[in-house]
Amino acid sequence: CRSPEIVVSPPPLLNVDQSFTFIINCTAMGIPTPQVVWRLNWGHVPDKCSMTNKLVGDNRAFGELTCPMASEMDQGAYSCEAINSMGSCFAGSAGCGQPGQDAILVV
C-alpha cells in the first residue's frame, strides 16, 4: 500500500468568460488507486459541477471537474485532493508529490 500523491497538478490560473464551461483536471497515484475530489475555497464545489475519475495506467487516477455556465460566484481557488485508504493530500502541499498548487479561477 502507498499513500496518494499528486503527479500532475491543476493549472495555476484559469480565465473563463461568463456562461462558458470550464474544466480542471489533475492526476494522482497511490496503492490502492486514489479518488480525486475537488474543493472550492476549502468548501464544496458548486452543485452544477460534476467530478469524474478515470483509471489511467497502474494505480493512477485522472480526476476532472466540469462546471457549466461560469459566473462570478464560481471564482476562487479549486483544490485537487487525492484520497485512498492510506491517507489524503492536496496538490501543492508538502509531501504530496510534485510541486503544484490550487487552480485559481477568474470569470
Side-chain angles (χ1 to χ4, degrees):
C1 292
R2 206 166 104 208
S3 58
E5 63 181 50
I6 305 295
V7 292
V8 180
S9 286
L13 181 65
L14 281 169
N15 285 294
V16 178
D17 290 331
Q18 200 153 359
S19 80
F20 278 59
T21 296
F22 62 94
I23 298 171
I24 309 171
N25 54 59
C26 78
T27 304
M29 67 183 300
I31 301 171
T33 303
Q35 281 283 110
V36 174
V37 296
W38 295 90
R39 301 190 184 282
L40 170 57
N41 300 327
W42 296 100
H44 296 288
V45 297
D47 288 339
K48 66 182 178 180
C49 300
S50 62
M51 293 182 226
T52 59
N53 278 270
K54 244 189 302 201
L55 187 63
V56 288
D58 289 340
N59 305 303
R60 284 180 179 237
F62 177 79
E64 191 166 78
L65 178 72
T66 303
C67 300
M69 299 297 294
S71 72
E72 288 184 5
M73 292 179 63
D74 300 326
Q75 294 183 125
Y78 285 82
S79 304
C80 168
E81 182 182 16
I83 304 170
N84 72 7
S85 59
M86 299 299 294
S88 68
C89 71
F90 286 91
S93 62
C96 191
Q98 61 115 43
Q101 67 287 310
D102 291 343
I104 306 300
L105 177 75
V106 178
V107 178

